[in-house]
Amino acid sequence: MAMRDLNTVDHKAMEPLLRAALLRIKRDCPRRSFSQGFALANQDLLSMVDSTLKRLATALEEEFEEEDKDADKYFDVLQKTLETKHVRLIETALDTISALIELGYLRGDVPQESSSPPDDGSTRQKTLLDTIIASVCQCNKDNDETIHEYVLACFTAIMESSHMEPHGLSLILLVRTCFHIFMVSRQSSIKESARQILMNICNMVFQRMEKIDALLELEDGERAKLTGCELI
């Protein structure tokens, strides 16, 4: 799996991990660009990085008695970084996302406002996890095998997380992205990682299916427990 370039792997607290990542993004973000659009986007990103660094410092001062463990509120700057066309910035953002998920700081359970119902026909409300998965999968468009390693590292963190359960279109997007990486990659280690994640997804779906089947065998009076139970 992807090796972390950040000097954050030894940081167990969220604040130093995020701060190190943001300082690296600030350092690596180009100040000039041949395209005016990219130049403006980079300026916006740098402004977001500075703003987030100030928010982290303020939170550290205000919550000195209790560690801040909520990275969900800082995901917007990582999402913005993933939208750039700079490989080094994308690698840093993906590396940070996977680390935050592994350490339990990025949970993705914040409800997201949506003007339309889910495209998969379910009544489930969209959450930050759906946004995280969509943002990470977008990086798959760059056929860079190093980025593919970081993408798969994020997927592994999501699948192994005890508080993240991808459903619906987000789960389908995970499958499509893993399959694409498996097909285009020439590295056996990347192919094996993608294959393993696909197997884990299949096992998870079968476990959900078996759970629903068990609930269907209950008496009619107990079937109300099926409410909100989704197969995918």
Side-chain angles (χ1 to χ4, degrees):
M1 199 52 65
M3 295 297 293
R4 291 204 172 113
D5 295 325
L6 289 173
N7 292 322
T8 60
V9 71
D10 294 328
H11 293 318
K12 299 303 182 183
M14 183 191 74
E15 187 275 334
L17 192 157
L18 261 177
R19 178 161 44 84
L22 293 173
L23 289 174
R24 179 165 186 171
I25 290 171
K26 185 175 182 178
R27 183 197 70 191
D28 292 341
C29 185
R31 267 55 175 181
R32 297 180 180 180
S33 176
F34 293 108
S35 167
Q36 183 177 5
F38 283 135
L40 292 174
N42 292 343
Q43 290 175 9
D44 289 343
L45 175 58
L46 289 172
S47 296
M48 289 185 68
V49 168
D50 287 336
S51 176
T52 306
L53 285 169
K54 290 179 181 178
R55 289 167 60 196
L56 281 170
T58 301
L60 188 63
E61 293 174 358
E62 294 178 349
E63 302 177 13
F64 63 92
E65 294 182 355
E66 183 177 350
E67 180 187 349
D68 185 7
K69 297 182 179 181
D70 178 18
D72 286 3
K73 59 180 177 286
Y74 300 115
F75 179 72
D76 55 348
V77 67
L78 297 174
Q79 181 181 14
K80 183 72 173 179
T81 305
L82 292 180
E83 294 171 357
T84 68
K85 300 297 181 181
H86 304 292
V87 172
R88 292 179 67 180
L89 297 182
I90 293 173
E91 289 176 357
T92 298
L94 290 172
D95 188 34
T96 306
I97 289 169
S98 64
L100 290 171
I101 294 173
E102 288 174 10
L103 294 172
Y105 296 127
L106 188 60
R107 303 178 67 87
D109 51 8
V110 178
Q112 303 286 282
E113 294 184 3
S114 178
S115 58
S116 58
D119 295 333
D120 55 10
S122 71
T123 58
R124 183 180 59 86
Q125 183 176 14
K126 182 179 179 181
T127 66
L128 182 61
L129 176 58
D130 298 298
T131 302
I132 293 171
I133 291 175
S135 299
V136 171
C137 287
Q138 282 291 324
C139 303
N140 180 54
K141 294 181 178 179
D142 296 312
N143 285 327
D144 182 291
E145 295 210 323
T146 302
I147 288 182
H148 285 172
E149 283 189 291
Y150 283 103
V151 168
L152 293 176
C154 288
F155 290 172
T156 298
I158 290 172
M159 295 304 300
E160 293 180 351
S161 170
S162 61
H163 52 263
M164 286 186 166
E165 292 188 5
H167 289 277
L169 291 180
S170 292
L171 189 59
I172 294 172
L173 193 55
L174 281 175
V175 172
R176 287 177 177 173
T177 304
C178 284
F179 183 76
H180 171 77
I181 292 176
F182 181 87
M183 294 301 294
V184 302
S185 178
R186 296 183 179 180
Q187 292 189 31
S188 58
S189 60
I190 294 179
K191 283 181 172 292
E192 176 58 26
S193 295
R195 187 192 69 81
Q196 187 60 52
I197 294 170
L198 286 170
M199 291 295 295
N200 291 341
I201 292 174
C202 289
N203 290 336
M204 180 183 67
V205 171
F206 275 110
Q207 288 174 4
R208 292 177 183 174
M209 185 171 61
E210 290 170 354
K211 179 181 178 181
I212 292 176
D213 186 55
L215 288 172
L216 286 171
E217 294 179 355
L218 297 177
E219 295 180 0
D220 291 343
E222 295 293 324
R223 290 183 181 178
K225 293 181 180 179
L226 282 171
T227 303
C229 188
E230 296 175 275
L231 179 57
I232 65 170

